[in-house]
Amino acid sequence: MISRILLASLVASFTALAAPPTATSPDSMHVAKGFKVELLHAVPNETQGSWTAMALDPKGRLTVADQYGDLYTVTPPPLGRSDTPTIEKIGAPIGEATGLVWMGDVLYVVVCKTGRYESGLYRVTDTNADGALDKAELLRELDGKGDHGPHQVQLSPDGKSLVVTTGNMTKFTEVSSSTVPMVWGEDHLLPRMWDARGHAKDILAPGSVVYRVSPDGKDWTLLSAGNRNQYDVAFNRRGDMFGYDSDMEWDMNTPWYRPTRVTHAVSGSEFGWRSGSGVWPAHYVDSLPPLIDMGPGSPTSMVFGYGAKFPAKYQEALFICDWSYGKLYALHLTPSGGTYTAVKEEFVQGQPLPLTDVLVRPQDGAMYFTTGGRKVQSALYRVTYTGSESTAAAQGEAKLPEEFAIRAKLEAFHGKKDANAATIAWPYLGHPDRFVRWAARTAIEHQDLNTWPVEQLKDETNPEALLTAALAGARVGGEKAREQVLKILGKAVNGPLTDAQQLEALRVLGLVFIRTGAPDDEMRGKIIEKLDPAFPTTNRVLNAELSQMLIYLGAPSAAAKTIALLEAAPTQEEQLEYVKSLRVLKTGWTPELRKTYFSWFLKAASYKGGASFHGFVKNIKDEAVANLDAPAKAEVQPILDTVPKIKTPQEVLAESLAGRTFVKAWTLDEAAALAANGLHGRNFDRGRKMFAAGACVACHRFDGEGGAMGPDLTMSGGRFTPRDLLESIIDPNKVVSDQYAPNVFTMEDGSQITGRLINASGDNYRVNTDMFDPSQSESVSGKKIKSIEPSKISLMLPGLLNTLKDDEILDLVAYLLSGGDRNAAAFR
């Protein structure tokens, strides 16, 4: 009888002769110095499908999954050999997997239904001990499918349980326990707007979540919540969990857009995704911020480099896969306070390279990754180190900050009742580290209210402790705690507060009203009397929150002050923030204010953003019009009847630059000499204004504002000197970043298309050909592409500094180096 291995080999060989599949060549990839990528197997789509998941079996072989078909066992060739991998189909009745992991000799599979199998978590076993998996049991059905359905499964750090990740369109499953206090809500002070194209409408918290699951599939514990569509998690050697969450690209250039982001998913974490315009900003203290924003993309799998025969830096790195842009990043993490800081490095990049999974195989010290998904050409690759640095096993940090130990002590109380928990955690409510405060508050929120040592707040003078205690009470106290929470909050705001603490106070106050009801007229008047003199401030984020609160309260001055901010706002994100809030305001309007407000929509018709941007703008306008009475509507009817002239992004940019006069053709030496001694006593707000006036904002994101086709410049200060930064502006073609360079697609007929590949399905690619318009794309047939080469010409325009005066250049450079911190040294 012919063996299964030989039969599989013959079938693979016949298929290869009949229609050899093609895959992106490693020769065309950009790979980190000292590393080598090998193409081990180009997957024949007709017989082996498109691979989306991968795991190591007990024998060190690869178990891989076709998104629409079966599972396979792959035995890679030894290092240094060019043999074809041995591929065998697994006979158990299971497939369509998005996640795979082995626990001993048992394979666990997460299925996201595409045909034969129901979505859920399966256990696959060998029942007759013949070495072949033959039985698949559905342990828990999960109600979800498609790109936002059930995703990955991993082993917990101790190897005794599973960790399952699901997308935001997978219904929350029943849990037996939770480290996340199960008191979540949408928690919007002003009404949220659903996505203008209907995506995720009526999908509510907790969004995309992570569960810990017992091996028998019966006990499920919620570990982390509030992501949009997180695909996978990875654990470092200390047991810390990290995630890589997706963006909503249709939201680009709105204030609620947030890029793909890597998170430190500590115990009980909540990351604030809410549908539509309801995404919580990172400063909301009832959610946690990201470790790092990665920009637009499609996150898939992630893994630490442990076990790889790589230099120590890469053994300790967190590797993450971006499907859309074909990038495998290495994140280098450094402990800081109770969490980490992260620096990203592009490790492998190719076009197309739709990465789906990545793992390290300790048997040979190599890294393996797959490409595929959505029936695109799939392949298996291997990464090895060929450089001269030592590849001895790394040991990790010898010593961690003390906040790690504090956080661990507090996290022991998460998800359970303990008579001593509140007393032990209470002193940490005012800790300067946000992650320690999070751990302390979460521990307290899991306890009965009558165990909280609230009396300790009588002599408390630390506003952070008072604010955090008030936040906990607002979240779990209900109506019976309302008065006490407001009293604690009142004490907190009696003294001077930082901008961050003012934002906390506004959020807590908003939660009290959201969860326990609006204030009466007397309280409303007192709050307006307190807040109105402080509005506006010089802080753009604080202005947005003050405007929202005063609009909610119906403050008489809210319309005039917010319209003034709208007219002065240099970015469309800030403008849209005010316009969205003002849509529900019914008091304080004058005819001139209304005309100014509705005239904004004529200008906004030429703004660019994601696919939902103009739908959101239309819906804001429609809701604002619906709030007008008949006389008020008649006043603005001529504006409403005006058909706006829609300008191209290039026309808008030309008008912006035409409004400024030519100063000089700055050379690098002149600008660098100016910056050498001039970066002190600078003006933060003018720097931000120059970021918009110089057209930087059209393509680059900074501190939550701007385009996404160029690199996010928020962390420029950690990477560039003033001269480096000026060189990249004055001579953008000198070094064209592989990461953000457009590609030139040369077609078989000789024609060329220049742009960035942003999506793929089967043999069709979507290419963005206009950096100023993220919603614009063209369909390109992969079968008609002759070659894909990076462009040598930067998309960035030269001469952008030529309309800026000395002080304006200095303010712009100081702003870009500040990371968005208006208290940075350059502004003192």
Side-chain angles (χ1 to χ4, degrees):
M1 179 181 292
I2 189 168
S3 73
R4 285 181 295 170
I5 295 177
L6 179 58
L7 179 60
S9 179
L10 289 171
V11 170
S13 299
F14 176 78
T15 303
L17 289 171
T22 59
T24 300
S25 168
D27 293 338
S28 68
M29 298 178 189
H30 298 279
V31 185
K33 184 179 180 180
F35 289 88
K36 173 186 176 183
V37 177
E38 302 170 76
L39 172 61
L40 298 184
H41 180 57
V43 181
N45 198 296
E46 296 79 6
T47 56
Q48 295 174 0
S50 193
W51 293 357
T52 52
M54 181 169 52
L56 277 177
D57 75 8
K59 296 181 179 180
R61 301 171 300 181
L62 306 178
T63 305
V64 299
D66 170 15
Q67 183 179 9
Y68 304 93
D70 301 309
L71 305 185
Y72 298 89
T73 297
V74 179
T75 304
L79 297 182
R81 297 259 296 270
S82 58
D83 308 13
T84 301
T86 301
I87 302 174
E88 299 178 85
K89 181 179 174 181
I90 291 176
I94 192 66
E96 301 168 12
T98 54
L100 302 168
V101 74
W102 286 84
M103 180 185 284
D105 58 359
V106 176
L107 175 65
Y108 288 89
V109 179
V110 169
V111 169
C112 186
K113 184 175 182 178
T114 59
R116 291 175 291 170
Y117 305 105
E118 296 300 321
S119 296
L121 175 65
Y122 290 76
R123 179 171 58 191
V124 187
T125 54
D126 171 11
T127 60
N128 57 13
D130 67 349
L133 297 171
D134 53 36
K135 180 181 180 181
E137 307 168 77
L138 176 59
L139 300 181
R140 172 76 63 97
E141 185 173 347
L142 295 170
D143 188 354
K145 58 183 180 180
D147 290 344
H148 295 243
H151 292 317
Q152 266 286 10
V153 56
Q154 300 286 2
L155 289 183
S156 62
D158 63 7
K160 296 179 181 179
S161 56
L162 307 167
V163 177
V164 173
T165 308
T166 63
N168 62 339
M169 292 189 186
T170 306
K171 288 186 178 178
F172 185 67
T173 194
E174 181 181 352
V175 296
S176 52
S177 60
S178 174
T179 65
V180 182
M182 295 180 66
V183 293
W184 53 72
E186 299 301 287
D187 291 331
H188 299 129
L189 190 62
L190 298 181
R192 160 253 309 284
M193 305 187 74
W194 297 107
D195 176 70
R197 296 171 50 148
H199 180 81
K201 185 177 181 181
D202 299 323
I203 301 294
L204 304 178
S208 175
V209 301
V210 183
Y211 304 97
R212 182 175 60 237
V213 185
S214 62
D216 61 6
K218 294 180 179 179
D219 292 326
W220 290 61
T221 298
L222 178 63
L223 299 180
S224 181
N227 286 296
R228 178 178 180 265
N229 189 30
Q230 182 171 293
Y231 193 88
D232 197 6
V233 297
F235 294 92
N236 68 9
R237 62 174 81 251
R238 289 169 292 280
D240 283 327
M241 182 168 71
F242 299 85
Y244 183 20
D245 195 21
S246 70
D247 64 340
M248 174 47 163
E249 65 275 15
W250 294 358
D251 290 346
M252 282 184 181
N253 294 110
T254 68
W256 52 89
Y257 171 72
R258 67 183 190 189
T260 66
R261 59 212 311 250
V262 176
T263 59
H264 179 194
V266 296
S267 175
S269 49
E270 151 76 79
F271 291 102
W273 175 83
R274 300 296 185 270
S275 192
S277 71
V279 178
W280 295 0
H283 64 259
Y284 273 14
V285 285
D286 42 338
S287 66
L288 285 171
L291 280 184
I292 186 171
D293 283 335
M294 297 299 296
S298 295
T300 51
S301 290
M302 54 201 309
V303 70
F304 276 90
Y306 308 142
K309 290 182 180 177
F310 292 174
K313 172 183 176 180
Y314 294 98
Q315 292 179 48
E316 297 292 324
L318 173 59
F319 293 88
I320 61 175
C321 297
D322 175 6
W323 186 86
S324 289
Y325 291 99
K327 300 177 189 296
L328 176 59
Y329 292 100
L331 286 192
H332 305 288
L333 307 179
T334 302
S336 175
T339 183
Y340 300 81
T341 58
V343 176
K344 68 179 180 181
E345 175 190 357
E346 189 173 314
F347 186 68
V348 176
Q349 187 269 336
Q351 288 286 313
L353 197 69
L355 292 125
T356 53
D357 208 347
V358 59
L359 58 77
V360 173
R361 185 171 181 252
Q363 288 81 0
D364 56 16
M367 175 178 286
Y368 293 77
F369 66 83
T370 52
T371 61
R374 294 187 183 173
K375 298 184 178 180
V376 302
Q377 174 61 57
S378 190
L380 173 66
Y381 295 88
R382 178 164 62 192
V383 183
T384 51
Y385 181 66
T386 59
S388 58
E389 291 186 47
S390 170
T391 58
Q395 302 302 316
E397 298 87 1
K399 186 178 181 181
L400 294 171
E402 65 175 355
E403 287 86 353
F404 273 72
I406 297 171
R407 184 166 57 79
K409 177 177 72 172
L410 298 170
E411 288 172 351
F413 297 117
H414 292 182
K416 63 182 181 182
K417 304 287 186 183
D418 188 301
N420 299 315
T423 301
I424 293 172
W426 202 261
Y428 296 102
L429 293 180
H431 196 280
D433 185 85
R434 183 170 177 177
F435 280 72
V436 170
R437 293 199 303 276
W438 181 277
R441 179 175 57 80
T442 302
I444 289 168
E445 288 183 3
H446 279 292
Q447 312 309 315
D448 294 331
L449 281 170
N450 57 18
T451 68
W452 292 17
V454 181
E455 67 281 354
Q456 294 183 19
L457 296 178
K458 293 178 181 178
D459 300 320
E460 182 62 69
T461 58
N462 181 354
E464 201 66 73
L466 293 165
L467 289 169
T468 308
L471 174 61
R475 282 171 45 82
V476 303
E479 291 187 18
K480 64 181 179 181
R482 176 185 171 109
E483 294 306 316
Q484 191 166 32
V485 169
L486 288 171
K487 184 178 179 181
I488 296 169
L489 182 59
K491 185 177 180 182
V493 301
N494 271 338
L497 300 178
T498 66
D499 285 359
Q501 289 169 341
Q502 291 180 61
L503 289 170
E504 289 181 49
L506 286 168
R507 178 57 174 168
V508 174
L509 184 62
L511 283 173
V512 171
F513 299 151
I514 292 165
R515 295 197 171 208
T516 65
D520 58 26
D521 289 343
E522 181 182 0
M523 180 183 291
R524 184 179 69 86
K526 288 182 178 178
I527 297 173
I528 292 173
E529 185 179 349
K530 174 82 172 177
L531 297 181
D532 191 56
F535 176 63
T537 73
T538 58
N539 186 313
R540 169 252 188 277
V541 177
L542 190 52
N543 279 339
E545 295 299 330
L546 282 166
S547 172
Q548 180 181 219
M549 178 60 73
L550 289 169
I551 287 172
Y552 171 82
L553 295 171
S557 67
K561 289 186 175 184
T562 305
I563 287 292
L565 286 171
L566 171 63
E567 290 188 286
T571 67
Q572 66 184 55
E573 287 89 349
E574 184 181 2
Q575 294 171 26
L576 193 57
E577 187 93 67
Y578 302 135
V579 169
K580 178 172 72 73
S581 294
L582 283 167
R583 83 190 195 279
V584 300
L585 180 63
K586 296 184 178 181
T587 60
W589 290 99
T590 66
E592 286 306 312
L593 291 174
R594 286 196 187 94
K595 290 176 183 177
T596 300
Y597 178 77
F598 284 102
S599 294
W600 177 87
F601 292 95
L602 301 178
K603 179 173 65 173
S606 297
Y607 286 174
K608 298 301 179 183
S612 291
F613 180 86
H614 284 290
F616 273 119
V617 172
K618 177 183 181 300
N619 292 345
I620 290 171
K621 180 181 177 182
D622 290 346
E623 290 188 30
V625 170
N627 271 331
L628 298 173
D629 58 24
K633 186 175 181 181
E635 290 173 352
V636 298
Q637 194 63 53
I639 299 173
L640 299 179
D641 292 339
T642 300
V643 178
K645 179 183 183 304
I646 300 180
K647 304 166 187 173
T648 67
Q650 291 75 15
E651 288 174 328
V652 173
L653 176 62
E655 286 184 6
S656 172
L657 296 177
R660 300 185 58 82
T661 58
F662 176 82
V663 175
K664 65 182 296 185
W666 285 95
T667 67
L668 175 59
D669 287 342
E670 289 172 333
L674 183 68
N677 298 307
L679 295 179
H680 53 83
R682 303 319 316 164
N683 186 307
F684 179 92
D685 294 298
R686 186 164 59 187
R688 180 168 172 259
K689 184 178 179 181
M690 291 305 103
F691 185 68
C696 313
V697 73
C699 307
H700 296 281
R701 189 171 176 83
F702 186 90
D703 196 26
E705 299 178 304
M709 300 312 291
D712 189 321
L713 299 178
T714 308
M715 302 308 294
S716 298
R719 303 195 306 271
F720 299 114
T721 66
R723 184 182 179 90
D724 293 335
L725 192 63
L726 287 164
E727 183 176 40
S728 66
I729 299 172
I730 292 171
D731 189 5
N733 290 320
K734 183 172 183 179
V735 178
V736 182
S737 168
D738 293 335
Q739 185 174 350
Y740 291 95
N743 285 292
V744 178
F745 297 80
T746 301
M747 313 305 290
E748 289 181 345
D749 63 3
S751 62
Q752 291 185 330
I753 299 171
T754 300
R756 294 181 66 187
L757 194 156
I758 58 174
N759 214 325
S761 181
D763 291 321
N764 292 316
Y765 300 143
R766 300 298 302 181
V767 178
N768 177 271
T769 57
D770 187 344
M771 67 183 295
F772 295 108
D773 187 356
S775 67
Q776 185 280 339
S777 66
E778 294 184 18
S779 180
V780 178
S781 172
K783 293 181 178 180
K784 296 181 179 180
I785 296 175
K786 182 179 180 181
S787 67
I788 304 176
E789 300 289 339
S791 172
K792 303 300 182 184
I793 305 299
S794 172
L795 290 173
M796 185 171 169
L797 301 174
L800 294 179
L801 290 185
N802 293 349
T803 64
L804 272 60
K805 301 174 184 177
D806 293 20
D807 282 342
E808 293 174 329
I809 288 178
L810 291 173
D811 290 334
L812 173 61
V813 172
Y815 177 71
L816 291 174
L817 295 176
S818 73
D821 179 9
R822 64 173 53 249
N823 296 313
F827 306 115
R828 295 174 195 160

